[in-house]
């Protein structure tokens, strides 16, 4: 079995610019594409968000931010009609402002 140094062996012969481009290219592979939602999913999320605002229920939102999906668990504090953003207060008291177009999934949180 041949045991060599793998990639380390070849990077010493590469220019630093090429090494940086290869690292950037490998990082881009971890990015997620934003998924398009259908009308039924929008209607379902609308019902959940409306009920959560009315009865102060805790929700789990999956939203697209910075080329990846993130989870936010908390209660909806305010709906900004002009900016089309939800203001959510999480369990630690931090306020998250999430655009309604970035939300991919909404569910009630069982506590």
């Amino acid at each position: 079995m041949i045991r060599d140094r793998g990639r380390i062996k070849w990077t010493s012969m590469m220019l630093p610019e090429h090494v940086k481009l290869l690292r950037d290219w490998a990082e881009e592979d971890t990015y997620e594409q934003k998924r398009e939602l259908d009308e039924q999913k929008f209607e379902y999320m609308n019902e959940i968000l409306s009920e959560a605002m009315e009865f102060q229920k805790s929700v789990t939102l999956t939203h697209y931010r910075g080329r990846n999906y993130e989870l936010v668990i908390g209660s909806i504090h305010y709906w900004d009609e002009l900016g089309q953003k939800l203001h959510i207060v999480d369990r630690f008291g931090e306020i998250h402002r999430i655009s309604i177009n970035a939300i991919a999934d909404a569910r009630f949180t069982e506590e």
Side-chain angles (χ1 to χ4, degrees):
M1 186 159 134
I2 299 173
R3 297 188 67 194
D4 65 343
R5 296 173 291 169
R7 196 188 313 184
I8 298 170
K9 179 178 171 180
W10 297 105
T11 56
S12 64
M13 291 186 270
M14 298 174 90
L15 293 173
E17 295 85 13
H18 295 156
V19 174
K20 182 183 180 317
L21 287 173
L22 284 174
R23 287 185 182 143
D24 292 343
W25 183 50
E27 183 180 332
E28 285 178 10
D29 287 343
T30 63
Y31 295 159
E32 297 181 48
Q33 296 293 324
K34 187 174 179 182
R35 297 181 292 257
E36 296 296 323
L37 301 176
D38 61 348
E39 191 65 33
Q40 290 178 341
K41 185 72 173 177
F42 276 127
E43 189 64 32
Y44 176 71
M45 287 190 327
N46 186 27
E47 290 175 14
I48 289 178
L49 295 176
S50 298
E51 187 174 336
M53 281 190 286
E54 185 175 348
F55 298 112
Q56 291 298 312
K57 290 186 177 182
S58 182
V59 292
T60 301
L61 293 179
T62 305
H63 66 100
Y64 191 74
R65 183 177 128 189
R67 298 181 181 150
N68 287 314
Y69 284 97
E70 294 183 357
L71 281 173
V72 175
I73 300 172
S75 61
I76 300 173
H77 174 67
Y78 177 71
W79 162 246
D80 182 12
E81 183 78 29
L82 188 62
Q84 296 289 310
K85 292 186 179 188
L86 284 174
H87 293 222
I88 298 174
V89 179
D90 66 5
R91 295 178 179 177
F92 304 108
E94 295 180 25
I95 297 175
H96 301 271
R97 292 171 182 84
I98 299 173
S99 174
I100 199 73
N101 296 331
I103 296 175
D105 189 31
R107 298 170 189 249
F108 290 118
T109 304
E110 292 86 23
E111 293 180 5

